[in-house]
């Protein structure tokens, strides 16, 4: 299996292997997926590092993300501009953190970002309400939502500011039995 | 290896029973040809070494019996330790709502139908948690609740005492029948003990379920109480059964004394008038079927256990067919012409009873552990039965059962079931060990015949098969003064 690919230089592939949890083959495959999202926008030759980003709307239609209620927040959290426009680096980063090889601490960091809807580095009550409504497709009544969010803050808030900082969130998620198995996307 | 069927008295059906030895009824009861087969203890010969490889049969019989128990202990304890590690302290409910919010969505879902199902199940799960939360804030009437719980426990104790007495009574009756000869009684009298035990095992748990409605516990706690009570019921039944068995063993041993005495007379009659007093006679060939037999209490014990397990299996299958399958057919087809909705009201489809089935498996295993020393092929038979059970129950669940209504996280009970298994292992090996240590084996059947105690085989092996210095070392090492500090060190 010689170096027949012309998409990346060897240094680039090595760098990708260092920064993500993927192997060479997987990185090339992911590039293939990125390319087929917009074949006329994404060049096959990445050796001179083109500055190409794909908009949120294209990425969110991938089969892996389509049914996820948090798809918009996921793509936004892994984009540099925070609006969901992802370069290939952001794209591969996203799937790397969500793969099963990523450690718990790293996943917790990004999970916090995803559930923080107003990006103020705290998960406040409104963020919780939005999360809950996305999870239940707004089937719960307003008082039920209120009750659940308040209970959650009471459970997890350690510093008493009525919102969850990253430390609170990490402390709570560290002991969750299902976190690693549910916060996982396979590409 | 080992002598074939028919070559020795213990390996052949006695002359008197030959006529009926192939009858299905006798075989189903594990008499006749089934009794004189490798299935039971009595068939094995006590010859010290067999064949050109000098296989130590009695020693291996003993060591295999002890070894399987030791191995079972190791496996169960190791599984418990592994479970304890993974759960990290068991049922943690400290972040219930937070975990539900942040970890209930499965990011791997890509199918729209699956996603819809998941949304629905998440919503249900939240609603349930909310209801639980609200209930826990309700003010309860403590005194009434306590009184009801005490009353419920009292009723349960009455139930357990009643069932214990019933079994004792039935066992006494069956001994009376046995003394008068079983031929004069019908099928029910012959199988009374087993049927009563199986029926009690079927109906008492339902009764406990009804009584527990008085107690008003959280479902997880109610489940543990229920399991504890069923456990006590089965344990009581099993031990009453064993005590009755002990009585029978003593009876058989007295019979044995009589038979031994008669044997000397019979042997004398063989040589009747054919030789003078002090001459060692040439052995007269007697057909093994004609030799009078001692009652082999070990085989009797093995037979009782095998019969118990067979009747337990039959009861399970019949309950399954009638309770689940026929009920499902009834509900499905008679629903068209019935006044009220059979599927939603009474009786509706039966729920899959996880705890009941797990308990059944655990007790089945307990009975195997108890009987395996006296019926060596019992584990093999059980493997067969487990395979059949698995397919049958799989089919029954898929076609007749609905899932339980109250969905709660019972997976924290993994170690609970393992703990029960450990207790059963301990309690079921106790009777076998007691009989090994305290009762002398039968004189004419089994691998330990002729010895004073079964574990003498180890002493014998040490003396004859190992070099003499080893025996001396061992006798020094088995000094209690050395063993006790060693045990304390291990603890």
């Amino acid at each position: 299996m010689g170096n027949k690919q012309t998409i990346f230089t060897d240094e680039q592939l090595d760098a990708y292997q260092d920064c993500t949890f993927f192997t060479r083959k997987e990185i090339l495959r992911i590039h293939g997926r990125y390319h087929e999202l917009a074949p006329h926008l994404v060049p096959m030759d990445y050796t001179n590092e083109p500055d190409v980003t794909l908009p949120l709307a294209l990425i969110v239609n991938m089969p892996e993300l389509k049914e996820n209620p948090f798809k918009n927040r996921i793509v936004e959290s892994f984009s540099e501009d925070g609006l969901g426009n992802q370069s290939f680096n952001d794209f591969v980063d996203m799937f790397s953190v969500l793969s099963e090889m990523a450690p718990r601490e790293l996943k917790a960091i990004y999970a916090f970002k995803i559930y923080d809807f107003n990006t103020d580095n705290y998960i406040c009550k409104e963020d919780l309400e939005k999360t809950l409504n996305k999870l239940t497709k707004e089937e719960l009544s307003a008082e039920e939502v209120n009750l659940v969010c308040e209970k959650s803050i009471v459970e997890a808030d350690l510093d008493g500011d009525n919102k969850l900082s990253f430390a609170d969130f990490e402390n709570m998620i560290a002991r969750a039995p299902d976190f690693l198995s549910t916060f996982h996307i396979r590409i | 290896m080992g002598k074939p069927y028919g070559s020795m008295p213990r390996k052949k059906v006695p002359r008197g029973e030959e006529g009926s030895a192939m009858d299905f009824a006798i075989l189903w009861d594990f008499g006749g040809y089934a009794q004189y087969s490798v299935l039971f203890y009595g068939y094995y010969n006590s010859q010290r070494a067999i064949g050109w490889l000098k296989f130590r049969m009695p020693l291996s019989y003993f060591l295999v019996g002890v070894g399987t128990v030791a191995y079972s202990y190791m496996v169960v304890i190791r599984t418990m330790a592994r479970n304890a590690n993974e759960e990290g302290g068991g049922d943690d409910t400290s972040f219930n709502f937070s975990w539900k919010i942040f970890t209930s969505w499965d990011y791997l879902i890509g199918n729209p139908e699956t996603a819809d199902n998941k949304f629905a199940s998440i919503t249900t799960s939240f609603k349930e948690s909310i209801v639980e939360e609200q209930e826990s804030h309700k003010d309860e009437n403590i005194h009434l609740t306590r009184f009801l719980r005490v009353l419920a426990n009292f009723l349960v104790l009455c139930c357990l005492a009643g069932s214990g007495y019933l079994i004792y009574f039935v066992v006494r009756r069956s001994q009376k029948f046995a003394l008068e000869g079983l031929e004069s009684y019908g099928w029910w009298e012959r199988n009374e003990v087993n049927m009563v035990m199986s029926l009690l095992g079927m109906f008492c748990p339902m009764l406990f379920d009804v009584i527990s409605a008085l107690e008003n516990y959280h479902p997880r706690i109610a489940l543990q109480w229920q399991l504890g009570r069923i456990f006590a019921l089965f344990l009581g039944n099993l031990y009453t059964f064993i005590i009755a068995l002990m009585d029978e063993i003593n009876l058989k041993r007295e019979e044995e004394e009589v038979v031994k005495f008669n044997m000397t007379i019979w042997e004398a009659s063989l040589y009747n008038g054919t030789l003078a007093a002090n001459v060692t006679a040439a052995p007269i060939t007697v057909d093994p079927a004609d030799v009078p037999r001692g009652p082999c209490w070990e085989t009797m014990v093995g037979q009782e256990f095998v019969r118990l397990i067979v009747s337990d299996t039959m009861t399970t299958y019949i309950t399954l067919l009638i309770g689940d399958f026929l009920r499902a057919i009834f509900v499905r087809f008679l629903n068209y012409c019935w006044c009220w909705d059979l599927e939603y009201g009474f009786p509706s489809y039966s729920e899959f009873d996880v705890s009941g089935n797990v308990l059944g498996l655990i007790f089945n295993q307990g009975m195997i552990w108890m009987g395996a020393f006296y019926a060596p092929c019992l584990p093999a038979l059980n493997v067969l039965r487990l395979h059949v059970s698995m397919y049958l129950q799989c089919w029954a669940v898929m076609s007749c059962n609905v899932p339980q209504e109250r969905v709660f996280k019972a997976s924290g009970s993994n170690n609970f079931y393992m703990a029960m298994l450990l207790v059963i292992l301990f309690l079921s090996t106790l009777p076998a060990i007691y009989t090994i240590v305290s009762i002398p084996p039968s004189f004419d059947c089994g691998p330990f015949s002729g010895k004073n105690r079964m574990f003498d085989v180890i002493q014998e092996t040490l003396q004859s098969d190992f070099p003499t210095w080893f025996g001396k070392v061992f006798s020094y090492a088995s000094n209690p003064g050395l063993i006790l500090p060693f045990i304390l060190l291990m603890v």
Side-chain angles (χ1 to χ4, degrees), chain B residues 122-301:
Chain B
I122 290 179
T123 312
T124 318
S125 158
F126 272 114
K127 290 208 166 142
E128 199 184 273
S129 297
I130 293 173
V131 167
E132 255 186 54
E133 180 67 28
Q134 283 168 340
E135 267 185 27
S136 72
H137 283 309
K138 261 200 314 217
D139 277 327
E140 301 173 347
N141 187 349
I142 295 260
H143 296 292
L144 181 65
T145 317
R146 271 201 205 136
F147 170 72
L148 284 176
R149 284 179 188 170
V150 167
L151 179 67
N153 279 321
F154 175 72
L155 287 173
V156 163
L157 276 173
C158 287
C159 238
L160 289 175
S163 88
Y165 179 70
L166 184 62
I167 294 191
Y168 181 72
F169 174 73
V170 161
V171 164
R172 276 259 108 90
R173 238 161 71 105
S174 81
Q175 283 172 348
K176 198 171 49 118
F177 291 153
L179 281 175
E180 294 169 16
L182 280 173
E183 294 72 33
S184 46
Y185 291 103
W187 177 86
W188 173 259
E189 277 83 7
R190 259 182 271 210
N191 292 306
E192 205 174 25
V193 180
N194 296 334
M195 287 314 295
V196 164
M197 283 184 69
S198 307
L199 285 173
L200 274 177
M202 232 178 17
F203 288 114
C204 280
M206 287 191 231
L207 198 60
F208 292 155
D209 223 355
V210 167
I211 293 179
S212 74
L214 275 177
E215 293 183 320
N216 202 16
Y217 276 127
H218 182 278
R220 203 177 302 128
I221 304 194
L223 178 70
Q224 288 184 344
W225 273 99
Q226 175 79 348
L227 290 178
R229 285 173 187 149
I230 300 181
F231 188 76
L233 174 76
F234 279 141
L235 223 54
N237 292 354
L238 220 47
Y239 264 74
T240 319
F241 180 73
I242 288 173
I243 291 176
L245 222 54
M246 289 293 180
D247 280 342
E248 273 196 58
I249 292 180
N250 286 333
L251 261 172
K252 285 253 147 79
R253 288 180 54 209
E254 286 164 22
E255 226 181 285
E256 201 178 303
E257 297 299 317
V258 175
V259 169
K260 262 200 246 189
F261 181 68
N262 286 343
M263 278 276 267
T264 48
I265 299 180
W266 175 81
E267 273 181 12
S269 75
L270 279 185
Y271 297 112
N272 197 11
T274 55
L275 42 72
N278 312 346
V279 178
T280 43
I284 296 185
T285 43
V286 185
D287 185 270
D290 291 321
V291 177
R293 308 299 171 73
C296 199
W297 64 264
E298 295 97 343
T299 302
M300 185 266 303
V301 170

Side-chain angles (χ1 to χ4, degrees), chain B residues 304-445:
Chain B
E304 286 296 323
F305 275 111
V306 176
R307 281 191 211 131
L308 185 63
I309 289 173
V310 166
S311 78
D312 189 49
T313 313
M314 289 295 124
T315 317
T316 312
Y317 291 165
I318 292 178
T319 326
L320 200 65
L321 283 176
I322 297 182
D324 285 357
F325 186 59
L326 280 187
R327 177 171 164 181
I329 290 187
F330 178 76
V331 169
R332 171 71 70 87
F333 292 116
L334 284 185
N335 207 11
Y336 299 121
C337 48
W338 208 262
C339 9
W340 70 85
D341 191 353
L342 284 173
E343 285 185 4
Y344 284 111
F346 180 82
S348 80
Y349 298 107
S350 50
E351 290 183 348
F352 181 64
D353 183 16
V354 175
S355 59
N357 279 310
V358 175
L359 264 189
L361 277 176
I362 291 179
F363 276 101
N364 175 46
Q365 190 54 46
M367 289 194 272
I368 300 288
W369 274 321
M370 255 196 260
F373 192 76
Y374 294 113
C377 291
L378 195 56
L381 285 182
N382 199 43
V383 168
L384 212 64
R385 167 224 142 109
L386 283 175
H387 272 88
V388 173
S389 274
M390 178 179 76
Y391 284 113
L392 189 68
Q393 290 193 304
C394 196
W395 163 79
V397 163
M398 295 309 238
S399 64
C400 335
N401 281 355
V402 291
Q404 281 177 327
E405 268 181 22
R406 286 190 94 154
V407 179
F408 55 90
K409 198 170 173 202
S411 58
S413 321
N414 263 341
N415 251 5
F416 179 67
Y417 292 121
M418 277 293 152
M420 284 180 96
L421 196 62
L422 190 64
V423 172
I424 291 262
L425 172 57
F426 175 68
L427 290 173
S428 41
T429 49
L430 225 49
I433 293 180
Y434 173 73
T435 53
I436 291 177
V437 166
S438 65
I439 304 185
S442 297
F443 76 100
D444 71 338
C445 70

Side-chain angles (χ1 to χ4, degrees), chain A residues 115 135 152 155 172 175 182, chain B residues 97-99 101-102 107 119:
Chain A
Y115 296 121
L135 267 181
S152 175
E155 283 172 358
M172 177 267 294
R175 279 184 258 157
T182 55
Chain B
F97 283 100
S98 309
W99 286 345
I101 295 179
F102 294 116
Y107 280 48
F119 282 123

